[in-house]
Amino acid sequence: MPHTLDLQFLGRAGVIATAAIPCEGGVVLVDPGPTSCLPALTSALAAHGYGLADVRALLITHIHLDHAGASGTLAQAWPGLPVYVHAIGAKHLAQPEKLLASATRLYGADMNRLWGAFLAVPEVSLRPLQGGESLVVGGRTFSVTYTPGHAVHHVSYLDTADRVAYVGDTAGIAVGGYSLAATPPPDIDIPRWEESLTAIAALAPASLFLTHFGLVADAAAYLSRYRDVLRRSAERARVAVRAGGDEAALSDAWVRWLRADARTVVGEDAAAALEAAAPFDQIWQGLARYWRKRVERDGAGALEVPLA
Ligand SMILES: [Zn+2]
C-alpha cells in the first residue's frame, strides 16, 4: 500500500498528498506536487526511510502545478529519472511556457509564493502515455487509463497488485467527509468526466488515492457518490449561467454557497483545506466557461437541458 505524504501546502495539513509506493530499489511517486513543497516532500519521505535519490519514477496524473510542479526540478537533479505523463502533458512539461502563461492567468502575482519554480523536464526523462499501457516500474505493474474531464491530458494509474487507483483530481476533492468537484478552467468537460468515472469504476479498484486528499476505501461507493457531486455542481452552474447577470455577483454567490454547503458537513479546518485545494471562484470560472462554450457550440438551448 502507498504512503500518503502530506506536502503541508502553505503550511496547511490535508491539502496536497503525494503517494509514495514502495518498490524494488526505492519508491515510486505519484504526483510529486509543487516545487514550493519540496522541503515537505523530502521530510515526509525521510519519515518512511527514503531520500529523493530513492525515487525510481514519477507517475504524473496531469500537469497542473499542484500535481506536477516539481517534476522538472527532480528530473534535472536526477538525470534519466523517468517521468510518465499523458502525451499532451509531456509537451508542456518539456516546454512549460504555455502552461505557465495559463497558470499565471489564474494566479497572477501569487504564482511564485504558491508553486515555486517550474523547471522543464528534459526530453530524455519523458515517457509519454496515451492510456491503455501497462507499466512495470521497480517490479510493480501499473495499468494506465485515459481519464479526461478535469483536464484533457489526465490519466489514472491502477497498481495491479493492491488495486489502488491513483486518480489525481478525476474523483474530486474529499476532505473530512465532504466532496467537491475540482472544475478549474480551461478544459473541464462534464460528459467526458463522467465517462472517466465509469472507466475507473470498470477497473474495479479496491481503493482510490486522491491528491486532495489521500486514500479512500470502498472505491465503488465513493465513485457513485462523487458522480452525484459532479452533476449537482454542474447543474447548479448551468442554472446560474442561464439566469445570467453580473459576472462578479455570480462568482460571489457561488463562493458563498459552496462555503456554506461545505460547513454543513465539516468544520473550519477542513473547509479551509478544501478551499486551499481548489479556490472556489476557480471552480465557478471553470463551470461557467464550460457552459458558455456549450452555448457557442450548440446554441442557447444547451442551457435548457439538464444533465441526463
Ligand atoms: Zn489538484
Side-chain angles (χ1 to χ4, degrees):
M1 294 294 280
H3 302 297
T4 301
L5 309 183
D6 190 328
L7 299 190
Q8 302 288 335
F9 179 60
L10 301 178
R12 188 175 283 287
V15 180
I16 302 178
T18 292
I21 307 164
C23 71
E24 285 168 20
V27 69
V28 173
L29 298 185
V30 182
D31 289 347
T35 309
S36 56
C37 292
L38 266 182
L41 177 68
T42 306
S43 47
L45 273 173
H48 295 286
Y50 300 106
L52 288 175
D54 298 316
V55 176
R56 291 287 157 265
L58 303 181
L59 306 185
I60 304 296
T61 63
H62 64 299
I63 62 171
H64 292 168
L65 301 185
D66 53 328
H67 296 253
S71 304
T73 304
L74 294 172
Q76 289 192 22
W78 282 276
L81 175 71
V83 178
Y84 294 91
V85 58
H86 189 274
I88 297 170
K91 277 187 245 159
H92 295 293
L93 290 187
Q95 290 164 343
E97 294 75 16
K98 269 171 99 176
L99 167 66
L100 293 175
S102 164
T104 302
R105 279 195 288 279
L106 276 181
Y107 299 104
D110 231 9
M111 282 283 286
N112 196 55
R113 181 182 74 92
L114 292 171
W115 314 120
F118 189 101
L119 304 187
V121 175
E123 296 272 0
V124 65
S125 281
L126 286 168
R127 302 286 185 278
L129 303 168
Q130 299 291 342
E133 295 85 353
S134 181
L135 315 175
V136 180
V137 185
R140 299 191 80 105
T141 305
F142 297 91
S143 56
V144 183
T145 303
Y146 180 46
T147 51
H150 173 80
V152 72
H153 60 275
H154 198 298
V155 293
S156 298
Y157 301 90
L158 178 77
D159 185 324
T160 59
D162 58 16
R163 304 206 71 75
V164 177
Y166 298 88
V167 297
D169 287 348
T170 304
I173 296 172
V175 178
Y178 185 83
S179 291
L180 59 80
T183 56
D187 54 25
I188 65 152
D189 185 317
I190 304 299
R192 293 184 92 189
W193 199 327
E194 290 210 33
E195 286 168 25
S196 294
L197 293 174
T198 302
I200 292 168
L203 299 170
S207 47
L208 305 175
F209 190 96
L210 313 184
T211 302
H212 321 282
F213 184 93
L215 270 175
V216 174
D218 200 354
Y222 177 84
L223 285 168
S224 106
R225 274 205 313 280
Y226 177 70
R227 186 186 294 270
D228 290 341
V229 167
L230 177 62
R231 280 192 185 181
R232 184 170 79 123
S233 191
E235 273 295 283
R236 189 178 183 93
R238 179 182 66 82
V239 170
V241 170
R242 186 181 60 186
D246 174 65
E247 180 57 26
L250 287 169
S251 175
D252 281 354
W254 181 273
V255 170
R256 276 200 309 276
W257 162 68
L258 199 44
R259 282 182 179 152
D261 196 59
R263 282 166 176 77
T264 62
V265 176
V266 300
E268 280 308 313
D269 271 2
L274 287 160
E275 197 155 356
F280 292 172
D281 58 332
Q282 292 178 18
I283 290 180
W284 161 257
Q285 282 175 42
L287 287 168
R289 179 186 159 99
Y290 167 74
W291 285 114
R292 288 168 186 148
K293 269 166 51 187
R294 287 278 304 267
V295 169
E296 274 172 33
R297 195 188 71 191
D298 302 335
L303 296 179
E304 301 305 323
V305 189
L307 289 164

